[in-house]
């Protein structure tokens, strides 16, 4: 019974291989374009962030008016207004928003790196603790470098977006390649 389900999934993957291949090519190209133009990628990330925050604000306000009552209504309306204002601020002042978000990211990386280093010290008796320490040091250094680099707000967020899009494209290309090399059973056997 389980193999019939697996065969059906394999058959569906083969039917849609060209879509995975096309999406992989498109995302990989977009990732490369974003890597070449990191300020544009950062601006895109900020504008998407702003638009999603404003949309989230509208949804919170609608939910506050339609679904909730009493204190919950007030909280949902307040959150909706705050989301909308934050999104509007991001949309209207993308450079300032990039600075704020990059600084927050750097601070998060510094804290995460310090926590990993602390965990490495705690797990020093466990084999592989050095990798935890190495990871913590890299994360801590990345946070400090981002925080101390004056131009970082204009490329860091774009780099994260570009790398994500690029690796998603490579992932789809790998899936399409795997599907091509995996010979399915005929649909009559399913």
């Amino acid at each position: 019974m389980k193999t019939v389900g697996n065969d059906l999934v394999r058959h569906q993957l083969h039917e849609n291989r060209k879509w995975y291949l096309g999406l992989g090519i498109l995302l990989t190209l977009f990732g490369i374009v974003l890597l070449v133009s990191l300020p544009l990628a950062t601006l895109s990330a900020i504008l998407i962030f702003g638009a999603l925050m404003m949309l989230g604000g509208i949804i919170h306000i609608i939910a506050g008016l339609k679904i909730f009552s009493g204190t919950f209504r007030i909280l949902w309306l307040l959150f909706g207004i705050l989301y909308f204002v934050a999104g509007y601020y991001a949309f209207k002042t993308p450079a300032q928003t990039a600075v704020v978000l990059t600084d927050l990211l750097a601070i998060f990386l510094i804290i995460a790196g310090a926590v990993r280093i602390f965990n490495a010290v705690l797990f020093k008796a466990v084999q592989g603790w050095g990798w935890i320490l190495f990871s913590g040091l890299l994360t801590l250094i990345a946070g400090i470098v981002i925080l101390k680099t004056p131009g970082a707000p204009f490329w860091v967020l774009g780099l994260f977006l570009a790398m994500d899009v690029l690796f998603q494209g490579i992932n789809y290309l790998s899936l399409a390649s795997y599907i091509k090399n995996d010979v399915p059973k005929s649909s009559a056997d399913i």
Side-chain angles (χ1 to χ4, degrees), residues 9-187:
V9 169
R10 287 175 62 208
H11 179 71
Q12 289 173 341
L13 285 172
H14 278 273
E15 285 182 351
N16 294 315
R17 180 184 171 273
K18 63 183 172 194
W19 291 103
Y20 297 125
L21 183 62
L23 186 58
I25 291 169
L26 193 62
L27 287 173
T28 302
L29 290 175
F30 281 159
I32 292 168
V33 167
L34 290 172
L35 275 173
V36 171
S37 57
L38 289 178
L40 175 65
T42 297
L43 178 63
S44 299
I46 296 298
L47 294 178
I48 290 168
F49 172 78
L52 290 175
M53 289 293 287
M54 286 190 291
L55 179 63
I58 292 168
I59 291 170
H60 271 80
I61 291 169
I62 291 170
L65 294 173
K66 297 283 185 179
I67 299 172
F68 298 101
S69 63
T71 305
F72 287 115
R73 174 176 280 170
I74 293 169
L75 286 174
W76 276 77
L77 290 173
L78 179 63
F79 284 134
I81 292 167
L82 290 174
Y83 268 73
F84 190 84
V85 168
Y88 180 78
Y89 174 79
F91 214 72
K92 282 301 259 186
T93 59
Q96 292 167 331
T97 302
V99 170
V100 170
L101 290 178
T102 302
D103 287 348
L104 287 174
L105 174 66
I107 291 167
F108 173 77
L109 290 172
I110 291 169
I111 292 169
V115 168
R116 287 182 189 158
I117 292 168
F118 180 72
N119 284 338
V121 172
L122 289 178
F123 293 109
K124 195 172 183 178
V126 178
Q127 184 177 2
W129 73 274
W131 288 110
I132 299 170
L133 178 65
F134 182 68
S135 169
L137 288 171
L138 283 180
T139 304
L140 179 73
I141 291 168
I144 292 170
V145 167
I146 290 170
L147 199 58
K148 295 293 184 183
T149 305
F154 303 105
W155 61 266
V156 168
L157 299 174
L159 179 64
F160 276 78
L161 176 65
M163 294 302 289
D164 181 58
V165 171
L166 179 65
F167 283 115
Q168 285 299 319
I170 292 169
N171 183 38
Y172 279 113
L173 289 174
S174 298
L175 178 62
S177 174
Y178 171 77
I179 293 169
K180 180 181 180 187
N181 295 330
D182 181 43
V183 180
K185 294 181 179 180
S186 68
S187 58

